[in-house]
Amino acid sequence: MSSINLKKVVKFYGKTEVVHGIDLDIDHNEFVVLVGPSGCGKSTTLRMIAGLEEISDGEISIDDTIVNELPPRKRNISMVFQNYALYPHMSVRENLGFGLKIAKQPEAVVKQRVSEAADILGLSELMDRTPAELSGGQRQRVAMGRAIVRHPQAFLFDEPLSNLDAKLRVQMRTEIKKLHQKVATTVVYVTHDQVEAMTLADRIVVMKDGYIEQVGTPMQVFNHPKNTFVASFIGSPPMNQLPARIEGQTVVFDDGTKLPVPGHLADKVREGQQVIFGIRPDDMTPEGHGIQETGQSTILELKVDLAELLGTETLIYTSLAGQEIQGKMFDPRDVSPGEVLKFRVSLDKAHLFDAATQQSVSVG
Ligand code: ADP
């Protein structure tokens, strides 16, 4: 139940600066997910919070106490790693209680905390098994249980699900979410998977190359990405992004195709501005196969290059101004390559980014 604050935190490995003075305020009981491509500095940031890496400059505080010099065990936070390394010769019960025993907690406390964690995680029936007798998901739960028994002020998760197969990953994701609802505590969670970030987070921190690109609720970063990087990283399939130029009230693409400037962005652009026009595949739907066709929209006739059937929807690959883009057909029918479809482009959902800065013209 701690707040965690990072002030201008810098990390050098040797002479290489990998985290460039980041600021971040995490509230009590907040579930914050650090997300970004491999190498962007997520794990380093998490490890600095845990005290496993020294910080090169700046300040980290937990509950208003600066912890820069405090060793990990004094920070009262628990870390759950991707590689959950349980003790193979110990039972689940012993694995859960081991850390507390080492910390010389009285036996009654160990027993009570272990049984409480087992209850929370649904491990009570498995207490006498060894890790070899557990499924991957059950082992992951024991690893989380080891963190829970310490009653930490905050949990830090470093890609905890990336060793699990796809189905189990989804299941464990739900369990972690439920766990956070049961055990009100601060969580900082690192992943490269934007779906995990969207589904778990109260707030998402999108990182790139050692910088924070945007902090916001899942809805904010999805609906109002600050720049082209966030726009393409959050959301799957990624947002279509096409270079264009503003001419009067129109967006003109490189091949001369024109669309009206979206009404909500009309006063955010200037004549002649080079822009990137962004539209998510969900907001480009063949007529009669969209989910919402109420706001400002326009029609583009485009030829289908490829259709991917996904069940309740079909992903349609087409191209505009020489660039591949994707649309989505909901309530789908069979579609063949070469077919020309009338796509309704929901302009009220469209984005514009300045081509030079790659920053949104409307999100500050
Ligand atoms: P992420 O968790 O986002 O994949 P990391 O925080 O692990 O990224 O790494 C950030 C950058 O720091 C990367 O360029 C990585 O190569 C570098 N790095 C990480 N750990 C070390 C280390 N111990 N020594 C030198 N460079 C490192």
Side-chain angles (χ1 to χ4, degrees):
M1 293 158 289
S2 289
S3 63
I4 301 171
N5 305 88
L6 278 66
K7 253 192 229 157
K8 306 226 171 323
V9 170
V10 174
K11 178 67 185 177
F12 277 91
Y13 284 117
K15 288 191 174 152
T16 315
E17 189 177 305
V18 297
V19 175
H20 313 289
I22 58 173
D23 292 307
L24 181 63
D25 293 321
I26 299 167
D27 281 342
H28 289 277
N29 293 353
E30 202 178 13
F31 198 128
V32 165
V33 178
L34 310 183
V35 68
S38 178
C40 71
K42 314 176 288 288
S43 296
T44 301
T45 303
L46 194 75
R47 293 170 63 82
M48 287 192 287
I49 296 172
L52 300 171
E53 289 288 352
E54 277 187 13
I55 69 172
S56 311
D57 201 5
E59 239 173 57
I60 297 184
S61 332
I62 298 177
D63 283 338
D64 302 325
T65 306
I66 297 173
V67 297
N68 287 19
E69 306 297 331
L70 219 55
R73 66 195 153 75
K74 295 226 169 127
R75 296 192 184 193
N76 200 12
I77 45 192
S78 274
M79 187 132 167
V80 181
F81 296 94
Q82 174 190 120
N83 181 353
Y84 32 80
L86 303 177
Y87 300 109
H89 56 285
M90 290 186 193
S91 66
V92 168
R93 180 180 289 105
E94 288 162 338
N95 263 290
L96 289 175
F98 188 69
L100 295 177
K101 268 196 187 148
I102 292 292
K104 302 215 176 350
Q105 292 283 347
E107 206 168 310
V109 172
V110 179
K111 213 171 159 193
Q112 192 259 328
R113 291 211 193 162
V114 165
S115 114
E116 171 196 85
D119 255 6
I120 291 171
L121 292 162
L123 289 169
S124 306
E125 309 292 307
L126 308 171
M127 297 300 263
D128 295 318
R129 293 201 195 171
T130 61
E133 296 166 321
L134 300 176
S135 70
Q138 289 166 340
R139 276 182 221 154
Q140 181 68 51
R141 268 190 256 155
V142 179
M144 288 197 274
R146 285 199 309 197
I148 291 176
V149 294
R150 294 181 48 204
H151 286 187
Q153 299 274 35
F155 286 101
L156 307 182
F157 288 92
D158 192 358
E159 302 258 7
L161 308 184
S162 53
N163 281 345
L164 307 178
D165 66 42
K167 193 169 162 214
L168 199 51
R169 219 160 45 220
V170 174
Q171 193 184 326
M172 289 309 294
R173 201 172 72 200
T174 321
E175 291 201 13
I176 290 177
K177 184 94 183 167
K178 282 189 196 152
L179 180 65
H180 183 242
Q181 284 161 0
K182 275 191 213 164
V183 187
T185 185
T186 311
V187 176
V188 190
Y189 186 107
V190 160
T191 180
H192 62 276
D193 180 346
Q194 61 90 26
V195 178
E196 259 174 49
M198 288 291 286
T199 49
L200 284 172
D202 293 324
R203 275 193 312 155
I204 294 181
V205 178
V206 185
M207 293 186 70
K208 183 191 168 211
D209 297 339
Y211 291 98
I212 291 179
E213 297 288 325
Q214 187 167 3
V215 181
T217 64
M219 275 304 184
Q220 281 165 346
V221 293
F222 184 81
N223 288 329
H224 306 287
K226 251 174 132 167
N227 53 41
T228 52
F229 173 76
V230 176
S232 53
F233 194 78
I234 301 290
S236 175
M239 183 188 290
N240 300 304
Q241 296 184 14
L242 294 153
R245 193 178 141 86
I246 302 297
E247 287 180 16
Q249 289 309 304
T250 52
V251 178
V252 184
F253 295 101
D254 290 353
D255 67 346
T257 304
K258 290 181 180 164
L259 292 181
V261 172
H264 66 292
L265 301 172
D267 61 349
K268 311 281 185 198
V269 291
R270 51 177 201 278
E271 181 61 24
Q273 187 174 4
Q274 299 288 344
V275 293
I276 308 285
F277 177 85
I279 187 88
R280 292 199 185 276
D282 309 63
D283 302 322
M284 242 192 69
T285 51
E287 271 206 300
H289 290 272
I291 34 177
Q292 258 192 347
E293 297 178 358
T294 48
Q296 185 195 10
S297 67
T298 190
I299 298 287
L300 271 180
E301 286 196 27
L302 298 169
K303 194 163 74 165
V304 176
D305 293 328
L306 186 80
E308 270 180 0
L309 275 70
L310 302 171
T312 50
E313 61 199 43
T314 292
L315 203 55
I316 298 181
Y317 293 74
T318 173
S319 58
L320 180 61
Q323 195 174 314
E324 183 179 273
I325 56 169
Q326 296 170 26
K328 244 186 207 177
M329 177 183 253
F330 296 96
D331 187 18
R333 60 170 175 77
D334 280 334
V335 179
S336 312
E339 190 176 336
V340 174
L341 292 175
K342 285 185 177 164
F343 284 89
R344 184 169 288 280
V345 181
S346 301
L347 292 173
D348 57 331
K349 302 276 178 59
H351 305 257
L352 287 174
F353 304 93
D354 182 85
T357 63
Q358 303 282 307
Q359 300 299 306
S360 165
V361 300
S362 55
V363 183

